[in-house]
Amino acid sequence: MNNYIAVDIGASSGRLVKGTLHKNSGKIQLQEIHRFSNSFTEKEGHQYWDVDYLFVEIVKGLQKAKKEGMDACTLGIDTWAVDYVLLDENGKRIHEVYAYRDDRTKEAPNELHQEISRLEVYSKTGIQELPFNTLYQLYVHDRDQLSRTDKIVMVPDYLYYRLTGKLLNEVTNASTMQLLNLSTREFDDDLLELLGLRRDQFAELAEPGVKLGTISPDLQREHDLPDCELIVVPSHDTASAVAGVPAQPHKSWAFISSGTWSLLGVERQSPLNTAETMNANYTNEWGAYGTYRFLKNIMGLWMIQEVRRETQDGYSFAELAELALQEKPFEHFVPCNNHRFLNPRSMIQEIRNCCLETGQRSPDTIGKLARCIFDSLALTYRDSIQELQNLTDQQIETLHIVGGGANNELLCQLTADVAHVEVLAGPSEATALGNIAVQMISSGQLHGLEEARRFIGSSVSMKKYDPQPIEGFDDIKARWEQIQEKANNRY
């Protein structure tokens, strides 16, 4: 069999992508089969995902594959992290699926940590504190609903379940729940007790590469679908993206998985869960094949996505980058990781307010807003790279930028310049490639992640950005630090 399908669903869109392995040429070829939009919607004051819609779109994509002549395939699913589905004993959803940007967890960390310290939770799990982590979401969830819950699974686990009838908790996504113990590699008893939950309310943990079985025969007949074997891939999209980084072995590298979020970090064989790494807010998410993604969450392209949505002028992301390029650099700064930018009613107004509150002029054009975001993101990346090097005692030789942000030439060059590091941008399709590569390894077509990355590197074009000097950069750094301090003290 040489048909591999990645179901890759992000916060704003999803798609089914076919991968074909050409061993003679050493390449993996991708073909998009089906694409669909995705977003959370507000209902009675809360934000929810429509997971039934996602399942329907997966079925539509498989029907298209069958019509194109694909009678058999393997299939793996990745989505975003932290959001969960509650199932009753009959496998039916008990409640709508909350979106992580819902503000119900705003005070949850402070409330929970009155019962258990931040350091104790971090020592157990190695996961950074973010108010939308599953730990905090479950802490504020209706206790009656939780008591009636038979199984708690993550979004991609639920989609696997709808396709096969089999329940699992895939480890790369489960680790983001902030409930897995690094030492036991199981759910932590103390944290479950704190939430009033039991271990048997979760499915068995499953590693990437496990073969889950075939698609439900009834589902296959009803919708005329291909004969699919489901393979558990790194179901957290960042974990699949990192598996898809075309890194060279024995070279010191870091990554930015650049999309709605920017996930900046390194791949490690062991976690770093000290008080120092906790205070720096670095996380140890589990990766494919026993690795750990030691990384920091940065707000990412969400900010420019929201600006684009609000303008309603039809600008493409490339056009916004071009408008930004025409503006004077480093005129406006905002601290990207401030919680005020997580889900404001108006991103444009929030950026302008932040600039005014910190003694700057308001960015009064779309180009200035875009330039503010890109400059601020690049400087945030710089700070995080320096912090990462100090924490890991590792000098970064190459920064791989993968995902949609790899196409933003302005941001890639800015990052190389301010961080003074070689940037290799691409592939933008790293998540689908990582998803498919794990399927190929599981099927015996590739022999491990190193070979898969070699094939990926031969299959895609990458653009290299060498750092260029910036005039007056010491003054720029000083202003950036002052504005961050002012902004964070006010909010």
Side-chain angles (χ1 to χ4, degrees), residues 33-48:
I33 299 170
H34 179 56
R35 178 177 286 270
F36 51 93
S37 62
N38 186 34
S39 64
F40 53 82
T41 55
E42 185 170 334
K43 181 180 178 182
E44 297 178 353
H46 289 288
Q47 312 285 350
Y48 297 106

Side-chain angles (χ1 to χ4, degrees), residues 4 74 211 229 231 438-446:
Y4 305 89
T74 67
K211 294 181 178 180
E229 180 180 29
I231 293 178
V438 171
Q439 295 181 54
M440 291 176 174
I441 293 168
S442 179
S443 301
Q445 295 301 303
L446 293 175

Side-chain angles (χ1 to χ4, degrees), residues 77-96:
I77 303 172
D78 68 74
T79 78
W80 66 97
V82 306
D83 292 335
Y84 56 92
V85 184
L86 305 182
L87 301 177
D88 65 18
E89 59 186 6
N90 297 313
K92 303 298 183 184
R93 279 192 294 107
I94 289 175
H95 192 264
E96 297 298 317

Side-chain angles (χ1 to χ4, degrees), residues 44-339:
E44 297 178 353
H46 289 288
Q47 312 285 350
Y48 297 106
W49 300 108
D50 187 347
V51 291
D52 292 330
Y53 159 77
L54 298 180
F55 173 72
V56 168
E57 292 299 326
I58 292 172
V59 170
K60 285 181 182 177
L62 289 174
Q63 287 175 322
K64 286 184 179 180
K66 181 71 176 288
K67 288 177 182 176
E68 292 177 8
M70 196 184 304
D71 292 322
C73 63
T74 67
L75 182 143
I77 303 172
D78 68 74
T79 78
W80 66 97
V82 306
D83 292 335
Y84 56 92
V85 184
L86 305 182
L87 301 177
D88 65 18
E89 59 186 6
N90 297 313
K92 303 298 183 184
R93 279 192 294 107
I94 289 175
H95 192 264
E96 297 298 317
V97 178
Y98 284 109
Y100 61 84
R101 292 190 190 274
D102 188 86
D103 65 2
R104 67 198 175 106
T105 59
K106 188 175 181 179
E107 300 301 325
N110 290 334
E111 294 171 5
L112 182 142
H113 291 302
Q114 292 177 14
E115 301 185 55
I116 184 171
S117 73
R118 286 176 162 85
L119 182 57
E120 185 175 355
V121 172
Y122 188 78
S123 297
K124 288 172 175 291
T125 67
I127 299 298
Q128 71 182 127
E129 181 182 320
L130 293 168
F132 48 73
N133 285 351
T134 319
L135 172 66
Y136 305 120
Q137 291 199 50
L138 290 170
Y139 185 73
V140 299
H141 199 104
D142 181 84
R143 292 301 171 104
D144 178 62
Q145 285 185 357
L146 291 180
S147 69
R148 292 186 284 110
T149 296
D150 184 64
K151 286 292 182 288
I152 302 171
V153 295
M154 308 300 275
V155 169
D157 303 330
Y158 176 70
L159 296 172
Y160 274 123
Y161 171 68
R162 290 289 301 271
L163 289 169
T164 67
K166 296 180 180 179
L167 288 165
L168 73 151
N169 282 118
E170 188 278 324
V171 296
T172 69
N173 218 311
S175 71
T176 70
M177 299 173 82
Q178 208 176 2
L179 287 172
L180 296 188
N181 187 296
L182 287 170
S183 298
T184 65
R185 292 188 68 85
E186 254 295 347
F187 286 90
D188 185 84
D189 292 336
D190 295 334
L191 295 176
L192 291 182
E193 183 178 356
L194 179 66
L195 298 176
L197 297 172
R198 306 180 311 276
R199 173 61 183 90
D200 64 13
Q201 289 180 284
F202 297 86
E204 291 302 308
L205 292 171
E207 296 279 349
V210 169
K211 294 181 178 180
L212 192 58
T214 60
I215 199 165
S216 161
D218 290 343
L219 192 66
Q220 185 181 359
R221 284 192 298 270
E222 181 182 355
H223 297 285
D224 191 23
L225 305 180
D227 182 11
C228 276
E229 180 180 29
L230 280 291
I231 293 178
V232 178
V233 299
S235 70
H236 182 4
D237 51 11
T238 307
S240 273
V242 173
V245 171
Q248 298 178 20
H250 315 303
K251 188 171 184 178
S252 178
W253 57 278
F255 62 83
I256 298 178
S257 179
S258 178
T260 301
W261 288 92
S262 290
L263 296 312
L264 187 154
V266 293
E267 185 178 74
R268 289 176 53 86
Q269 300 302 312
S270 60
L272 269 178
N273 56 324
T274 65
E276 185 181 15
T277 60
M278 181 192 76
N279 291 332
N281 219 23
Y282 273 77
T283 200
N284 295 271
E285 296 174 354
W286 300 14
Y289 307 113
T291 58
Y292 295 88
R293 298 186 312 285
F294 183 70
L295 62 83
K296 171 170 279 192
N297 282 50
I298 297 169
M299 197 65 75
L301 299 179
W302 161 252
M303 298 176 74
I304 196 68
Q305 289 167 354
E306 283 296 280
V307 167
R308 178 176 180 260
R309 182 184 61 82
E310 284 184 56
T311 61
Q312 298 182 338
D313 289 332
Y315 290 114
S316 69
F317 290 118
E319 288 169 336
L320 288 171
E322 183 60 34
L323 289 172
L325 191 59
Q326 296 169 21
E327 299 293 340
K328 186 176 178 180
F330 306 113
E331 282 291 291
H332 304 90
F333 301 130
V334 293
C336 306
N337 267 10
N338 195 295
H339 288 164

